[in-house]
Amino acid sequence: MKKNLTQKIIEKHLLEGDMRPGAEIGIKIDQTLTQDATGTLACLEFEAMSKTLSGGSKVLRGGDACRIKTKRSVSYVDHNTLQNGFENADDHKYLRSIAEKYGLYFSPNGNGVCHQIQLERFAVPGEALIGSDSHTPTAGALGMFAVGVGGLDVAYAMSTGKFYFIMPKIVNVKLSGKLTGWASAKDVILELLSRLSVKGGVGKVFEYTGSGVDTLSVYERATITNMGAELGLTTSIFPSDGQTKKFLKLQKREKEWKEISADSEAKYDDVIEINLEKITPLIACPHSPDNVKKVKDVKGTKLDQVIIGSCTNSSLSDLLIVAKILKGKKVKVPAIISPGSRQVLVNLLKMGVLSDIIASGVRVLEPACGPCIGMGCAPNSGGVSLRTFNRNFKGRSGTDDAKIYISGPAVAAFSAIKGEIAEPSGKVPKINLPGKIIIADDLIIKPAKRKKGILVCRGENIKPIQHAVAGTKPSNTITGEVILKLRDNITTDDIIPAGAKILPLRSNIPAISEYVFSKIAPDFVKRAKKIKDSPRFAGEAGGIVVAGENYGQGSSREHAALCPKYLGIKAVIAKSFARIHKSNLVNFGIFPLIFRDISDYEKISVSDKLEIENVGDITSKTHLVVRNTTKNMSFVVTHDLTERQVKILLAGGLLSCR
Ligand code: MIC
Ligand code: SF4
């Protein structure tokens, strides 16, 4: 049978299940990645799974502990790079010691953003990667099957080498022609977002094929696969071809290249056609990546700031274009660049173009996520900022009333020079990547040989997770009160915001839980705690959250499930869920339930008391009856959980599921 590329890779890794869209399968995982904002928790979970935690002691002696079961697992420090206090530094020390003890690679602070480095130094065509970051699919640019997941799934893969997920539908995105003028790879993915919206890719893989594929470099492909996360896709993938070989050769990793692509008459579940010739510069307007317009339609919008960077557009080729545009010019508004990796920075320096960027008045930050996750450079009140990032959710920049636009690097560079959103003009510069680059990976610490006496450093900021995740089996009727009723497309940033103030608490669940829904419902925590502690419910009841479509889109942060769990949330009833967040809810024992009849959403109000009956029968029944005792009415909820997920839920979460 003719196969597409996704089927080929999954089949090669298949351990359990049937590769039918919608069915759960288990695959072997070759590589994992974690970053510091999700990785500390993932490593704590890994330790808990590996049963190496001994009675809360701060320092463990090791040597006999289990090692990771994957071929390559990399632990990155790239998100929590501001060190305003001891917290982040302590977490980083913990991560480094875990890497040494269990056999992970460790990429320290200043080395760059995980996805850029994974692409440069670790991704291998045809292999399978999961990462505790939603943009892990960036590695699909190299023909890798790469999926973003919650930390617990990574911890599980590091302990067992396995990953379970729902077999997605595979869509053939057929590219023809080639990009012309100032159109860039960013505009291709913005075009898809404008056609399909932020929930258009849920349950799907986008596999890129067609003659247009050959015209895109790996750097360009990576921009497209990276932002597939914004469509809600399971992943995106390009074939491994001549462009891939060229990239790996440049990275002095030619030996890891192999050709891999779909069979010529392979079948797909759907087809989308894009003629690259027709793509023009696009821009996502506030406050969603799918609010896409033509640059020419918003040009002239005054800007307060421009930032070029993030894992979407911070590669060597992106910054070379920017340097060419900025050469000899001055920026009119504060402009900032954060290179994707130290390798990118070192090569810009060697090629003599960093000086063009600096001379134009641009501030150069260290290679890290930085402003993309609200780690500094927040805009002024009501400020308008144009960024080359992938997300422009309200408040994510650190300034709640700022307006964030998203574009490709050329639009951003021209706009910085004009001080307003501007269309690129003039002759498109030709970017010649050098035949050889400096391979600046010397900061990466390779896995140490197994040895005794490695100390795991657990700073004061790292609180034990057992009490937070300890799953109690749900009783047969979940009794609860609706604490919050939400709109469509609630992001995990809405559930638990990031930013320089909250991020350092990622390894301290009691402390970070104080910020759940803090931006959109400041009294949520108080109300959740009141219900949780109410003697009326005798510890059995909890809060229930009601939501619209695509609940939990965006970041993979499992804190968006774990913290509500800590606050006593028992169930989320939504019109639909985003993939990663749904798995995270299951992993922490919160029921993700779906309205059978969407109109029932309208009939629920905040403070209604609900009883979800016969939860213990959920295995056999896809329907559960919910009694609204406040309004004296009932409605039906369904679920699309697999048997394995039901087992996890009924055990109270993955860590309690043996
Ligand atoms: C993001 O871009 O939102 C993050 C920060 O990289 C997250 C991970 C996190 O919240 O730590 C993601 O994309 O998964
Ligand atoms: Fe970092 Fe931003 Fe990429 Fe998330 S989207 S990994 S915060 S650069």
Side-chain angles (χ1 to χ4, degrees):
M1 201 185 96
K2 305 281 185 202
K3 294 193 186 85
N4 57 49
L5 175 54
T6 312
Q7 287 167 333
K8 284 186 186 180
I9 304 180
I10 294 182
E11 186 171 65
K12 206 165 148 258
H13 290 80
L14 195 66
L15 298 172
E16 280 173 51
D18 177 8
M19 286 167 49
R20 212 175 2 94
E24 185 173 71
I25 54 172
I27 62 166
K28 179 174 155 302
I29 288 299
D30 303 301
Q31 303 192 7
T32 65
L33 74 76
T34 46
Q35 40 86 344
D36 50 338
T38 55
T40 312
L41 196 53
C43 289
L44 287 164
E45 290 157 354
F46 170 73
E47 286 187 292
M49 271 181 191
S50 313
K51 297 201 185 119
T52 56
L53 265 183
S54 70
S57 65
K58 279 194 191 150
V59 173
L60 291 175
R61 292 195 173 272
D64 47 355
C66 83
R67 300 271 286 190
I68 50 159
K69 299 287 189 298
T70 44
K71 275 200 247 173
R72 272 180 196 172
S73 284
V74 192
S75 172
Y76 293 93
V77 173
D78 54 359
H79 283 63
N80 278 344
T81 51
L82 281 187
Q83 290 168 209
N84 283 336
F86 64 91
E87 292 88 350
N88 292 338
D90 279 7
D91 286 5
H92 298 160
K93 217 168 158 198
Y94 165 77
L95 288 174
R96 185 172 170 164
S97 65
I98 286 282
E100 193 183 5
K101 184 171 165 121
Y102 294 102
L104 285 82
Y105 287 82
F106 181 72
S107 172
N109 211 343
N111 200 41
V113 184
C114 53
H115 308 302
Q116 180 66 31
I117 300 171
Q118 193 75 17
L119 202 67
E120 290 172 349
R121 307 308 309 148
F122 296 106
V124 174
E127 290 201 349
L129 160 76
I130 59 169
S132 60
D133 193 285
S134 62
H135 291 105
T136 303
T138 311
L142 273 187
M144 195 170 198
F145 185 75
V147 182
V149 296
L152 205 43
D153 285 331
V154 175
Y156 188 77
M158 290 199 296
S159 321
T160 63
K162 282 191 204 162
F163 167 54
Y164 292 94
F165 67 112
I166 306 294
M167 179 70 195
K169 288 189 173 159
I170 302 159
V171 179
N172 181 0
V173 186
K174 263 190 178 167
L175 304 179
S176 58
K178 65 172 200 281
L179 291 169
T180 56
W182 288 99
S184 73
K186 182 71 151 230
D187 306 312
V188 177
I189 191 70
L190 289 177
E191 164 72 22
L192 281 166
L193 275 155
S194 100
R195 285 194 204 177
L196 305 170
S197 91
V198 287
K199 58 180 192 325
V202 177
K204 295 175 188 164
V205 169
F206 277 9
E207 188 173 312
Y208 290 84
T209 70
S211 56
V213 163
D214 305 345
T215 67
L216 297 172
S217 70
V218 166
Y219 293 115
E220 292 174 303
R221 296 174 184 186
T223 296
I224 296 171
T225 50
N226 175 285
M227 272 189 82
E230 276 50 73
L231 287 162
L233 290 165
T234 301
T235 192
S236 307
I237 191 165
F238 277 84
S240 171
D241 56 8
Q243 293 277 12
T244 324
K245 189 173 184 182
K246 200 165 134 196
F247 177 85
L248 285 172
K249 191 169 173 206
L250 193 65
Q251 289 294 330
K252 295 211 173 73
R253 295 205 290 129
E254 213 179 334
K255 280 203 187 118
E256 297 194 305
W257 179 75
K258 69 164 184 271
E259 192 161 15
I260 162 161
S261 61
D263 291 332
S264 54
E265 278 157 33
K267 296 229 167 6
Y268 291 88
D269 296 297
D270 204 354
V271 182
I272 295 174
E273 310 225 8
I274 295 191
N275 180 353
L276 296 176
E277 320 265 342
K278 296 219 165 114
I279 299 286
T280 55
L282 297 172
I283 190 161
C285 301
H287 297 284
S288 180
D290 60 2
N291 186 14
V292 176
K293 299 211 163 88
K294 290 201 155 102
V295 173
K296 69 175 182 349
D297 293 339
V298 287
K299 72 175 181 200
T301 306
K302 295 282 172 235
L303 293 171
D304 295 293
Q305 183 190 58
V306 173
I307 312 186
I308 296 165
S310 97
C311 55
T312 321
N313 279 115
S314 58
S315 67
L316 187 57
S317 99
D318 286 327
L319 297 190
L320 285 174
I321 294 172
V322 170
K324 285 238 177 185
I325 297 168
L326 293 178
K327 191 176 167 131
K329 310 267 180 4
K330 283 273 183 272
V331 294
K332 247 202 195 134
V333 284
I336 297 151
I337 281 182
S338 51
S341 67
R342 184 166 159 267
Q343 183 179 97
V344 170
L345 184 60
V346 165
N347 283 290
L348 288 175
L349 193 64
K350 174 165 176 252
M351 292 169 74
V353 295
L354 190 62
S355 50
D356 296 331
I357 294 176
I358 294 174
S360 73
V362 168
R363 280 171 66 191
V364 179
L365 300 182
E366 65 172 346
C369 298
C372 180
I373 188 59
M375 275 281 169
C377 302
N380 54 285
S381 300
V384 183
S385 178
L386 172 60
R387 298 162 170 218
T388 65
F389 303 172
N390 42 36
R391 294 189 169 136
N392 58 346
F393 306 143
K394 196 165 190 298
R396 182 174 156 104
S397 65
T399 304
D400 290 345
D401 59 359
K403 293 194 180 69
I404 310 296
Y405 289 80
I406 297 177
S407 75
V411 174
F414 273 97
S415 302
I417 294 165
K418 274 199 122 181
E420 59 187 35
I421 294 175
E423 277 187 289
S425 55
K427 200 162 167 265
V428 182
K430 186 142 180 43
I431 300 304
N432 289 320
L433 279 174
K436 270 193 180 166
I437 57 167
I438 301 172
I439 305 299
D441 65 356
D442 47 315
L443 291 187
I444 298 175
I445 302 172
K446 294 206 175 69
K449 290 227 165 64
R450 187 190 284 257
K451 59 181 178 204
K452 292 207 166 179
I454 297 170
L455 300 179
V456 172
C457 310
R458 231 172 284 274
E460 281 304 317
N461 191 43
I462 298 179
K463 301 292 176 217
I465 53 160
Q466 281 86 343
H467 68 283
V469 296
T472 41
K473 292 189 177 160
S475 50
N476 203 34
T477 301
I478 294 179
T479 313
E481 183 175 319
V482 178
I483 310 191
L484 199 57
K485 187 170 169 187
L486 298 156
R487 57 176 165 81
D488 291 348
N489 294 323
I490 286 294
T491 69
T492 43
D493 278 80
D494 291 323
I495 305 172
I496 185 79
K501 185 173 155 205
I502 305 177
L503 273 169
L505 304 174
R506 287 273 179 108
S507 51
N508 184 342
I509 301 306
I512 198 171
S513 294
E514 294 296 318
Y515 294 92
V516 173
F517 289 117
S518 54
K519 298 225 164 155
I520 56 175
D523 65 342
F524 179 86
V525 174
K526 212 168 105 203
R527 297 192 54 210
K529 283 185 174 168
K530 198 167 154 209
I531 292 169
K532 188 180 170 205
D533 300 336
S534 156
R536 190 162 72 84
F537 293 127
E540 278 290 330
I544 293 176
V545 170
V546 170
E549 302 272 9
N550 200 25
Y551 179 72
Q553 66 149 334
S555 148
S556 67
R557 62 190 71 153
E558 57 187 351
H559 300 76
L562 175 51
C563 300
K565 159 88 176 192
Y566 178 74
L567 296 171
I569 300 303
K570 300 275 194 226
V572 179
I573 306 177
K575 292 183 187 170
S576 68
F577 289 89
R579 176 187 61 86
I580 307 179
H581 187 58
K582 186 169 73 186
S583 300
N584 288 341
L585 289 172
V586 170
N587 283 347
F588 290 104
I590 297 181
F591 283 74
L593 301 171
I594 304 166
F595 287 102
R596 191 179 64 178
D597 182 349
I598 278 179
S599 65
D600 287 328
Y601 169 89
E602 304 302 337
K603 298 177 194 153
I604 302 187
S605 313
V606 169
S607 298
D608 282 359
K609 311 272 184 305
L610 305 183
E611 287 179 9
I612 309 171
E613 297 174 337
N614 297 323
V615 164
D617 290 354
I618 191 170
T619 327
S620 53
K621 288 189 187 165
T622 48
H623 296 161
L624 292 173
V625 175
V626 184
R627 284 204 314 124
N628 185 332
T629 54
T630 310
K631 298 222 167 87
N632 198 17
M633 53 171 275
S634 296
F635 63 96
V636 174
V637 289
T638 80
H639 69 85
D640 54 4
L641 304 169
T642 65
E643 261 179 49
R644 191 188 65 92
Q645 289 178 315
V646 165
K647 203 171 142 211
I648 294 171
L649 270 178
L650 294 181
L654 185 58
L655 284 179
S656 328
C657 194
R658 300 264 171 243

